[in-house]
Amino acid sequence: MTQTSESVTWLTQEAYDQLKAELEYLSGPARVEIAKKIEAAREEGDLRENGGYHAAKEEQGKQELRVRQLTQLLENAKVGEAPADDGVAEPGMVITVAFDGDETDTLTFLMASREYASGDIETYSPQSPLGAGVNGKRVGEEAEYELPNGRMAMVKIIEAKPYTG
């Protein structure tokens, strides 16, 4: 679920299987679908003014980029177990932090690689400023991280539980 270096990405078996299924779909049925869209648009005539053709070609480019990203990710993936439920903020955990000691101003997020992001929960990379700041801290500890404006901010770890999907 997380990237620990530039070349190795740690994934749970579930995450690996999910990304592999996406790659298989994009490499097979999705390629056939986009080729049909391009061919249908090509038959409409002048390609310079054919919005459907250009949209389909752009979609194809995005799809091929995702195929390359997934291929590289899965080639460098190490499959392991989900993290232990030990209250340590680490990749694969859903972490709740309080800003400036105010336990009413909180943020809950999944610490994981961007490839594992979903619409269900906000995802922060372990390499992000907040992710790096809280990584390895225990519930109750404080962590400091750098804001985009260069100032430092402090958060307190309120909860760290394994992500269950």
Side-chain angles (χ1 to χ4, degrees), residues 122-158:
E122 197 161 349
T123 303
Y124 282 76
S125 163
Q127 290 80 26
S128 70
L130 179 57
V134 301
N135 197 12
K137 301 285 187 194
R138 294 188 166 280
V139 170
E141 292 183 347
E142 292 187 341
E144 190 174 49
Y145 69 100
E146 188 175 348
L147 298 169
N149 65 8
R151 296 171 109 176
M152 299 305 286
M154 187 72 71
V155 293
K156 181 177 181 181
I157 313 298
I158 303 299

Side-chain angles (χ1 to χ4, degrees), residues 3 11 15-16 18-27 30-31 58-74 113-118:
Q3 237 164 312
L11 297 170
Y16 180 87
Q18 182 180 2
L19 293 172
K20 183 139 179 75
E22 180 184 355
L23 176 62
E24 288 171 1
Y25 170 75
L26 291 175
S27 299
R31 276 190 176 147
E58 184 176 328
E59 183 180 342
Q60 181 186 41
K62 289 178 183 176
Q63 185 174 303
E64 291 304 317
L65 174 62
R66 182 67 177 156
V67 165
R68 286 191 303 276
Q69 288 172 334
L70 288 171
T71 299
Q72 182 180 7
L73 176 79
L74 294 174
S113 68
R114 291 182 306 133
E115 287 77 13
Y116 203 75
S118 74

